[in-house]
């Protein structure tokens, strides 16, 4: 009897899955050639709601430019649905790898745009997020398509080479949402549209700083480099330091940072940031012989340490000025003193913007290659 019941149940399940005898549990099947696989979404502020721009990758193996669609609606979801009527192909959003926001929308707030990726059944939380600095996401996406490439191809290339860019790193929607839920602030890579008509490109341009899911500023130059140092995300950064006889180019290949809180009578009184930087000599003046001159090596290491310290200070000063713990420094400080975690959490919000921070950086030159 149990076998008969199991067989009947299995048959009913198969019928439901194939659409026979009732409503299907699966999405409607579609032929791949009738679908446009959207790879990049752009969201901009509009007079009433948002303007969403969707772009595919290059078509026919790169022989045809990316397809680009745009629509304005009250919500991202409504705009994406309305774009289904703009062409003959079905727009599939399950392959979206990048979400771009225009600066104006980011400043107004990103809750709705990020929430769409969090809730929509086709979207993925590992989608990378970018802010188009000083412009619109729609312009950036359309300009690259007109130049014969696609935003997805360019951004994928940038993400692969992120280790070579000491002031940029990819960030996912999942990371942004997690940071915001945990400490109220986060950061994302910023982009700038460069070039001219017919030859546009996207360039990394520091970091966009977000608080309560809204843009509050940008980390440029030294501050952006300091972000990577604080997170230990430095794989290849060349720092030029004065050396006897000229200038030495030191390639920073690693950094480890530890943050420790200081308490006095139960009150949070400061932070200590210690960063250990590893580097090698990529180029130096003639006669620079570190192997037989420890004094020259120490001088170079001290010069490098001071330069990297300036970058970390620039990042921390910016965060404190904006009163935004964009790197979740509270949690990192708590990891070094877990017995202080409760007190740290209670006092962090009010204390952070004026908290004294001591930054200590040490540098080690591990290799000199053939520089002698």
């Amino acid at each position: 009897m149990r076998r008969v019941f199991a067989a009947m149940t299995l048959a009913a399940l198969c019928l439901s899955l194939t659409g026979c005898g009732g409503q299907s549990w699966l999405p409607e099947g579609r032929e791949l050639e009738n679908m446009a696989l959207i790879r990049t979404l752009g969201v901009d502020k509009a007079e009433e709601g948002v303007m969403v721009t969707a772009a595919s990758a290059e078509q026919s193996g790169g022989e045809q430019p990316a397809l680009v669609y745009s629509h304005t609606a009250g919500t991202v979801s409504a705009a994406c649905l309305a774009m289904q009527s703009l062409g003959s192909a079905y727009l599939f959003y399950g392959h979206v790898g990048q979400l771009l926001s225009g600066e104006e929308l980011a400043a107004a707030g990103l809750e709705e745009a990020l929430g769409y990726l969090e809730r929509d059944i086709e979207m993925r939380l590992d989608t990378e997020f970018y802010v188009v600095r000083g412009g619109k996401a729609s312009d950036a996406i359309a300009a690259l398509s007109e130049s014969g490439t696609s935003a997805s191809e360019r951004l994928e290339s940038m993400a692969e080479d992120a280790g070579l860019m000491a002031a940029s790193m990819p960030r996912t929607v999942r990371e942004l949402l997690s940071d915001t839920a945990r400490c109220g602030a986060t950061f994302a890579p910023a982009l700038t549209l460069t070039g001219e008509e017919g030859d546009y490109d996207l360039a990394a341009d520091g970091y966009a700083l977000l608080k309560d899911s809204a843009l509050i500023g940008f980390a440029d130059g030294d501050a952006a480099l300091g972000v990577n140092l604080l997170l230990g995300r430095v794989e290849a950064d060349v720092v030029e330091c004065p050396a006897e006889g000229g200038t030495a180019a030191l390639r920073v290949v690693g950094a480890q940072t530890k943050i420790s809180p200081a308490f006095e009578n139960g009150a949070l009184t400061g932070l200590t940031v210690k960063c250990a930087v590893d580097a090698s000599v990529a180029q130096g003046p003639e006669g620079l012989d570190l192997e037989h001159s420890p004094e020259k090596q120490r001088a170079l290491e001290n010069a490098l340490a001071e330069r990297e310290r300036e970058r970390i200070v620039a990042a921390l000063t910016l965060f404190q000025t904006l009163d935004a713990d964009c790197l979740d420094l509270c949690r990192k400080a708590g990891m070094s003193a877990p017995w202080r975690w409760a007190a740290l959490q209670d006092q962090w919000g009010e204390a952070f913007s004026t908290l004294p921070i001591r930054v200590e950086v040490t540098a080690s030159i591990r290799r000199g290659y053939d520089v002698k």
Side-chain angles (χ1 to χ4, degrees), residues 7-29:
M8 292 175 63
T9 302
L10 180 59
L13 178 61
C14 291
L15 287 173
S16 65
L17 291 177
T18 57
C20 299
Q23 185 177 1
S24 174
W25 292 0
L26 299 177
E28 179 184 351

Side-chain angles (χ1 to χ4, degrees), residues 55-79:
S56 68
E58 295 178 358
Q59 306 294 299
S60 303
E63 297 180 359
Q64 298 179 15
L67 299 174
V68 178
Y69 306 87
S70 289
H71 200 278
T72 299
T75 64
V76 176
S77 181

Side-chain angles (χ1 to χ4, degrees), residues 43-359:
V43 187
D44 292 295
K45 193 175 186 301
E47 290 186 6
E48 296 183 3
V50 294
M51 181 174 71
V52 178
T53 303
S56 68
E58 295 178 358
Q59 306 294 299
S60 303
E63 297 180 359
Q64 298 179 15
L67 299 174
V68 178
Y69 306 87
S70 289
H71 200 278
T72 299
T75 64
V76 176
S77 181
C80 288
L81 181 60
M83 280 190 286
Q84 295 291 359
S85 64
L86 298 182
S88 58
Y90 174 79
L91 305 186
F92 180 65
Y93 298 98
H95 285 269
V96 171
Q98 302 92 20
L99 173 65
L100 278 62
S101 167
E103 182 174 336
E104 187 179 5
L105 176 71
L110 293 163
E111 296 93 338
E112 201 267 327
L114 296 178
Y116 168 72
L117 267 79
E118 183 180 21
R119 294 185 296 271
D120 187 81
I121 191 172
E122 287 187 346
M123 303 301 292
R124 302 177 298 172
L125 287 176
D126 60 355
T127 297
E128 293 172 355
F129 180 81
Y130 300 86
V131 174
V132 179
R133 191 168 182 176
K136 295 182 177 181
S138 59
D139 292 340
I141 293 172
L144 262 68
S145 179
E146 293 170 1
S147 298
T149 184
S150 68
S152 64
E153 180 183 22
R154 180 68 182 106
L155 293 173
E156 286 171 3
S157 177
M158 290 175 63
E160 291 175 359
D161 296 337
L164 303 178
M165 298 185 291
S168 183
M169 72 177 77
R171 298 276 290 165
T172 67
V173 170
R174 185 193 309 275
E175 290 173 320
L176 267 63
L177 291 172
S178 297
D179 289 350
T180 303
R182 189 168 51 241
C183 60
T186 187
F187 71 102
L191 304 170
T192 297
L193 183 64
T194 63
E196 55 187 19
E197 186 174 353
D199 189 24
Y200 286 107
D201 196 8
L202 286 175
D205 194 4
Y207 294 111
L209 306 181
L210 308 172
K211 184 176 181 181
D212 298 328
S213 297
L215 177 68
I216 56 172
F218 291 94
D220 299 304
D222 281 354
L225 291 162
V227 169
N228 282 42
L229 286 167
L230 285 166
L231 295 179
R233 296 283 296 273
V234 179
E235 298 178 20
D237 177 31
V238 175
V239 180
E240 294 182 334
C241 295
E244 184 178 324
T247 300
L250 304 179
R251 181 165 179 165
V252 179
V253 295
Q256 293 184 337
T257 302
K258 182 179 180 180
I259 302 175
S260 304
F263 283 86
E264 186 175 336
N265 298 323
L268 178 63
T269 58
L271 289 180
T272 297
V273 177
K274 295 183 178 181
C275 180
V277 175
D278 290 329
S280 56
V281 180
Q283 186 177 350
E286 185 177 355
L288 180 64
D289 185 359
L290 301 184
E291 182 178 356
H292 300 95
S293 180
E295 297 82 7
K296 292 182 180 179
Q297 177 165 335
R298 282 196 296 271
L300 269 182
E301 289 175 340
N302 291 337
L304 174 60
E306 180 56 29
R307 188 71 188 94
E308 300 296 67
R309 180 184 177 279
E310 292 173 356
R311 292 171 169 176
I312 292 176
V313 169
L316 293 173
T317 300
L318 178 59
F319 298 152
Q320 289 190 294
T321 300
L322 297 173
D323 192 18
D325 183 7
C326 296
L327 302 189
D328 199 4
L329 301 174
C330 179
R331 182 173 62 89
K332 293 176 175 60
M335 292 176 65
S336 67
W339 59 92
R340 296 282 196 180
W341 179 236
L344 191 62
Q345 282 185 303
D346 290 341
Q347 301 177 47
W348 185 265
E350 293 184 3
F352 175 68
S353 62
T354 58
L355 197 63
I357 303 179
R358 185 171 75 250
V359 179

